[in-house]
Amino acid sequence: MARSTRTRILDGALDLLRAEGGGSVTLDAAARQAGLTKPGLMYHFPTKEALKLGIVDHVAARWEEMLLDRLGGPLEGTSPHQRTRAYVEVALTAPFDRADYAVCTDALYRDAFHQMWERRFEPWLLLPDDLPARDRARLTAARLLADGYWTAAATDVFPVLERDRAELVAITDDLLRDESP
């Protein structure tokens, strides 16, 4: 099945972010990368802000798809342990790169981007108030370990050696043990 023009634009914009030295995602550059004219691109993304928001949504949707795939079913009715396990497994095993990192960290500076990530990830990461403190701490520790791993892998700054990743997975498995009755 052929990719839609919108998807081709968003994938091309991510390729620009992956470019050596970091690429610039302008409307002109994104249009060239997708093989379109600037007006052709602007039909789908009328402003640079709309394009950037589209990129954030595109990356967050890819994460969400991987999470649901790892979960093996719908999100509804799952436990905090199951959701956190899916998140941790994706963060520890899926391929991420500088484009993923750039899109995620841009949320620090733009409220609309932050809201997009929050809307997509809150169902996965928000822990219920009535969760026992020990379970809450274990799930949070596993998530933070996974966040650190994917940051190192995506940025290639002090990456974790592949031989150590299996041990990290084992440690998170221990943290993710569901001890509730």
Side-chain angles (χ1 to χ4, degrees):
M1 180 168 86
R3 292 183 304 166
S4 72
T5 301
R6 183 177 171 82
T7 300
R8 194 170 81 230
I9 293 166
L10 295 170
D11 287 342
L14 287 171
D15 287 342
L16 289 171
L17 288 172
R18 286 184 189 102
E20 193 59 39
S24 178
V25 181
T26 64
L27 293 176
D28 288 320
R32 276 192 307 277
Q33 185 74 17
L36 298 170
T37 63
K38 185 175 178 181
L41 177 133
M42 291 179 74
Y43 173 79
H44 299 279
F45 301 99
T47 65
K48 185 176 179 178
E49 188 72 12
L51 176 61
K52 286 187 168 191
L53 193 56
I55 294 167
V56 171
D57 189 49
H58 187 62
V59 170
R62 192 181 91 231
W63 263 87
E64 198 171 34
E65 185 179 309
M66 289 186 290
L67 290 167
L68 285 168
D69 216 37
R70 188 62 64 145
L71 192 59
L75 185 60
E76 294 76 26
T78 59
S79 72
H81 285 81
Q82 291 168 314
R83 293 188 302 272
T84 304
R85 178 175 292 284
Y87 178 85
V88 166
E89 288 176 357
V90 167
L92 289 175
T93 62
F96 295 106
D97 59 32
R98 71 176 65 198
D100 295 291
Y101 185 75
V103 170
C104 185
T105 57
D106 215 13
L108 291 170
Y109 308 105
R110 291 214 157 96
D111 196 42
F113 298 173
H114 177 84
Q115 289 171 11
M116 176 76 62
W117 282 108
E118 198 171 76
R119 180 178 57 81
R120 293 268 192 175
F121 282 86
E122 190 173 66
W124 293 92
L125 300 176
L126 191 65
L127 299 174
D129 290 334
D130 63 347
L131 191 66
R134 181 139 174 88
D135 285 350
R136 181 182 218 70
R138 293 168 70 88
L139 296 178
T140 300
R143 190 200 96 204
L144 292 175
L145 185 149
D147 286 346
Y149 177 86
W150 95 256
T151 299
T155 62
D156 206 29
V157 175
F158 300 112
V160 175
L161 298 174
E162 183 58 32
R163 69 175 188 245
D164 296 333
R165 191 174 65 75
E167 286 303 315
L168 291 175
V169 170
I171 289 169
T172 59
D173 279 346
D174 186 50
L175 289 169
L176 293 168
R177 232 185 7 235
D178 188 349
E179 296 178 352
S180 59

